[in-house]
Every structure is written in C-alpha cells, then in structure tokens.
Amino acid sequence: MGTVRVDGAKNAVLPIMAASLLAATGETIIEDVPYLTDIQNLADVVKSLGAKAELAVDGRLRLCAERLVSTTAPYELVRKMRASFWVAGPLLARAGHFRIPLPGGCNIGERPVDQHIKGFEALGAHVIIEHGYVEGFVDGRLRGGRVYFDVVSVGATINTMMAAALAEGQTIIENAAKEPEIVDVANYLNKMGAKVRGAGTDVIRIQGVQQLHGVMHTVIPDRIEAGTYMLAAAITRGDVLVEGAIYNHLSPLCAKLREAGVTIEDDIHGIRVRVDGPLHPIDVKTLPHPGFPTDLQAQILAFLATVDGVSIITETLFENRFLHVAEMRRMGVDVKVEGRSAIIEGGALMTGAKVHATDLRAGAALVLAGLVAEGETIVTGLEHIDRGYSDLVGKLRMLGADLIRTDARPPLHLVQAN
C-alpha cells in the first residue's frame, strides 16, 4: 500500500486570501498553503491593492491588508484567473468601491458574474459593467439584505458572504452553495470577528460587524486533489491511502467508486482506495455539492475508459468541459460526446500519445490515462496542471508511477526562505 498526502484546498485558500482584505488590523497567517501558480496570481492581485503577501517554504502564507492603496485590480493580473473577482466583495465592504476587469480562467464554459452583482445590489451597492470592467459603489456602509440566487454559485455565495460580513444589519443568502470550501471561508471569517451562521446549508445568515482583524487559519484538505489520487489508485488497480482526505467531502466520489466495484475505506488518517475484484461500468452526473463534483469529471472519465462496458457521464454545470475527450481519443479511448453527455465504451487498449492539457482537470485526467496506457505518453500544457497541483508528478512517483517532468517548474516569486 502506498501513501500520498493531500495539500490544503486551493479553492479555500483563494477566497480566504481575498477575505484577508477585510482585516483592517493585524496579520493573517494561512497554514498548509499549496505551491501553486493560482496562489501566486491572486497574491499579485492583493499586493497590487496595497496588501502584503509572503509565502514561506513551510506552507505558511502571511497577509497584511492594514493599508490599502487601490480598489482597482489590474487587467493583466485578473485575466489570468477567475478567482481574482473574489476581491470585489471585500473591497466593496471595506472601501466602498471596486473596479475589476471581467475575469479569465480555464476555458470550460461561460461563468458570468451576474449572481455576484445580484448579491452586491441586495446589500445596497450600485454596480455597472462597461468597457470590460465591473465597477461597484456604495455610499457609506453596505446594508444587510436578502438575496436569492437564481442558480447555485460558489463564487457568488462567497463574495456576498464576505461583503455582508461588514454590512450594517443582517444579510440572508438563500439558495446558497454548500461546498466544504464555503464552510472553511465562513469559519475563517468568524475567527476574524464576523458572525456567519448556516454555511454548508442553502441558507446563510450574516450579522454585520464594524471591523475584522487578522488571524491564523489552517485550510481544509483539497478534496479535488484527494479525488485525483483516489482515481489514480483505481485506474492502476492499486492500493493507496490518501492521507488527509475527508470522507464527507468526497462522499459522491466514494459512492460512485464503490458502485464500480472499488473498495473504499474511511481510515482515521484519510481514505484508502484499492481494487480487489472485477469492476463495473457506471453512470455519473455532475451536480453542485453534495452532488458529484465537476472538477473530478475528467479524471473519472479516464478511469471508466479502463472498465469493460458502457459508462455515461453527464455534465450539467459547464458546457465546454469535454475538451479533453479529443485528446483521450488520441490515446485510443472509445468515447463520444452527445450534447451534455460523454458515452464511454470502456475496456479498449489505451496507447501512449502526445496530448495537450486543455485545462487544469483535463491535464490531471490525461496524466492518469498515461499511467495505464501502453507505451509512452507525453502531456503538454503543464501550466494548467501547475494551477491546481503542487507536485502531481512527484507524488505519483512516490506511489510507484513511472513518469518524469522534463521542464523546470517556474518558481513562485512570493516564496521566501523562512
């Protein structure tokens, strides 16, 4: 049995970094921060606003936003990642203004910011979109209000929750997203002095306070990284303990792997995955949490390509999230896309090929496919993988995989020696 340790959750670290802008006093220390280009990119955004950000080699990220000098985020930084838009809520709450370019990120489909804007307007802000920028104003403090999201949105839930933390009065968010990362952000805000209740349910209540302060916080483990290693164990028919993985955060994946015949054990140290017998095809549908996560769709497709029989994956969240299918076909995977569904005829021999990562999770899926393909697989576009995995190659090698990285990973310039 091999063991692999999971890093802190990227999708918790990023909004917590944005939320640190709410702290008018004190320093924030985030522990167990992964070495990712997304962390670098958002650190560059918060530093452009006047905050300080420094990541130590021990995984501690120090942030201090006592003195903000700007409420406009630069286009050249925001275009790199959608998570940059999370600074809008904290800036609006603390400074009464934000001006942010419409954000970029992975090419997986349309992800409008209309629900973010709906949340801000429910708190009394005036928001306009023109010349490629979103700009928000408020006269004085934001005011607590009630907002019902038309669609479940992780980003809008977090942004509205952060803005409401400093609003006057109570805010109620209905049809809120329930992801574990939202609970982690709420816990962080409460440590800062906020009053947030109900995170993890579809109704969140926030009682606004006058001021927040910096604190120390350890983020939750990254459930998507954990799920990727779980699927690596399944695709190779191995036996792996994913150390730090939290079962409740990954119950949809655990249920589907069990349905396929994989043995899953909720260990005190994490989740153990092994294959003891025959596997079966399954159907998977991505849904908002607690449904099956879209960020594991590409990886489970790679696994199902190795299981005899017909499996069907239906993607309900993003319309462009089957871009990896064309690359997997180059490796011999028998898969076709019909509308929002991918139909996989599993069991065909996979052969090594040169393939390109079209986005973060597609890149991870191609690496998983390469673990079992006959011959050599070359994966390009590693800059996508670097956005979400601190050392995918090194960790898989520790589990016995035969792979190497031929290029040097660019260093993060906010990393300090101590």
Side-chain angles (χ1 to χ4, degrees):
M1 180 181 71
T3 300
V4 60
R5 183 182 179 277
V6 179
D7 289 325
K10 178 194 83 157
N11 290 335
V13 174
L14 293 174
I16 287 173
M17 290 174 67
S20 71
L21 297 174
L22 291 165
T25 61
E27 178 185 61
T28 284
I29 300 175
I30 310 173
E31 295 188 306
D32 206 13
V33 174
Y35 186 95
L36 304 174
T37 53
D38 270 8
I39 303 297
Q40 175 72 73
N41 291 335
L42 192 57
D44 289 342
V45 172
V46 300
K47 286 194 289 186
S48 75
L49 304 172
K52 298 177 181 178
E54 178 181 299
L55 178 62
V57 292
D58 62 0
R60 284 189 170 192
L61 178 61
R62 296 177 178 272
L63 300 130
C64 184
E66 290 182 340
R67 182 174 174 268
L68 297 180
V69 298
S70 175
T71 55
T72 298
Y75 167 78
E76 63 272 14
L77 298 178
V78 174
R79 69 177 179 84
K80 297 178 182 179
M81 59 182 302
R82 181 175 176 80
S84 304
F85 199 71
W86 269 326
V87 303
L91 288 175
L92 187 62
R94 182 160 168 213
H97 174 258
F98 72 83
R99 187 170 185 264
I100 300 175
L102 288 168
C106 279
N107 183 28
I108 58 176
E110 288 296 318
R111 293 182 288 175
V113 295
D114 59 315
Q115 297 303 298
H116 298 249
I117 294 171
K118 185 175 185 180
F120 297 153
E121 290 178 338
L123 301 179
H126 175 62
V127 183
I128 58 174
I129 302 177
E130 60 182 9
H131 308 301
Y133 278 79
V134 185
E135 189 164 13
F137 310 84
V138 64
D139 185 12
R141 287 179 69 189
L142 292 169
R143 302 183 306 277
R146 182 184 291 265
V147 57
Y148 178 90
F149 290 129
D150 302 309
V151 295
V152 176
S153 168
V154 173
T157 298
I158 289 175
N159 232 339
T160 305
M161 186 170 66
M162 292 189 295
L166 290 180
E168 185 178 357
Q170 185 184 70
T171 297
I172 299 175
I173 302 173
E174 298 178 285
N175 200 26
K178 306 173 188 177
E179 272 69 6
E181 294 80 12
I182 290 172
V183 177
D184 204 32
V185 175
N187 289 338
Y188 169 72
L189 289 171
N190 286 339
K191 283 184 181 180
M192 298 174 76
K195 297 179 180 179
V196 182
R197 295 187 297 118
T201 75
D202 60 359
V203 179
I204 301 175
R205 291 175 168 83
I206 306 105
Q207 182 67 44
V209 298
Q210 286 279 353
Q211 185 171 297
L212 298 174
H213 54 84
V215 294
M216 179 178 288
H217 182 76
T218 302
V219 294
I220 58 173
D222 194 312
R223 62 192 171 101
I224 305 304
E225 185 194 17
T228 300
Y229 296 127
M230 291 170 65
L231 286 161
I235 199 172
T236 59
R237 312 305 192 251
D239 184 350
V240 173
L241 173 65
V242 184
E243 187 179 356
I246 298 175
Y247 185 90
N248 287 346
H249 293 179
L250 287 153
S251 54
L253 175 62
C254 292
K256 283 299 173 183
L257 287 177
R258 281 202 180 100
E259 187 180 331
V262 178
T263 300
I264 304 291
E265 295 180 4
D266 183 8
D267 187 273
I268 190 172
H269 300 295
I271 299 174
R272 184 180 177 186
V273 181
R274 67 179 191 272
V275 177
D276 299 319
L279 298 177
H280 322 288
I282 57 173
D283 293 344
V284 176
K285 178 184 285 189
T286 65
L287 290 166
H289 190 79
F292 191 90
T294 183
D295 279 350
L296 288 173
Q297 178 256 100
Q299 299 94 307
I300 202 168
L301 191 154
F303 162 65
L304 292 175
T306 69
V307 178
D308 290 338
V310 177
S311 295
I312 300 174
I313 298 177
T314 302
E315 172 60 57
T316 70
L317 301 179
F318 296 116
E319 65 274 15
N320 290 346
R321 202 133 206 195
F322 285 129
L323 295 178
H324 52 281
V325 164
E327 298 301 300
M328 287 194 172
R329 287 198 192 108
R330 292 170 52 80
M331 301 178 70
V333 175
D334 186 354
V335 55
K336 61 181 178 180
V337 176
E338 293 184 357
R340 290 275 186 142
S341 295
I343 303 167
I344 307 116
E345 183 69 55
L349 176 67
M350 270 197 267
T351 56
K354 186 173 183 178
V355 291
H356 183 72
T358 53
D359 61 69
L360 166 55
R361 307 307 174 184
L366 292 171
V367 172
L368 296 192
L371 296 179
V372 295
E374 184 179 83
E376 183 179 72
T377 297
I378 300 173
V379 181
T380 62
L382 299 188
E383 67 277 6
H384 293 294
I385 295 175
D386 290 343
R387 291 186 52 233
Y389 297 90
S390 64
D391 189 15
L392 182 65
V393 170
K395 290 184 178 183
L396 290 174
R397 283 176 61 87
M398 288 176 58
L399 295 174
D402 181 10
L403 76 166
I404 59 172
R405 180 165 180 157
T406 58
D407 69 332
R409 179 169 183 171
L412 302 186
H413 59 257
L414 80 157
V415 175
Q416 302 298 320
N418 50 53

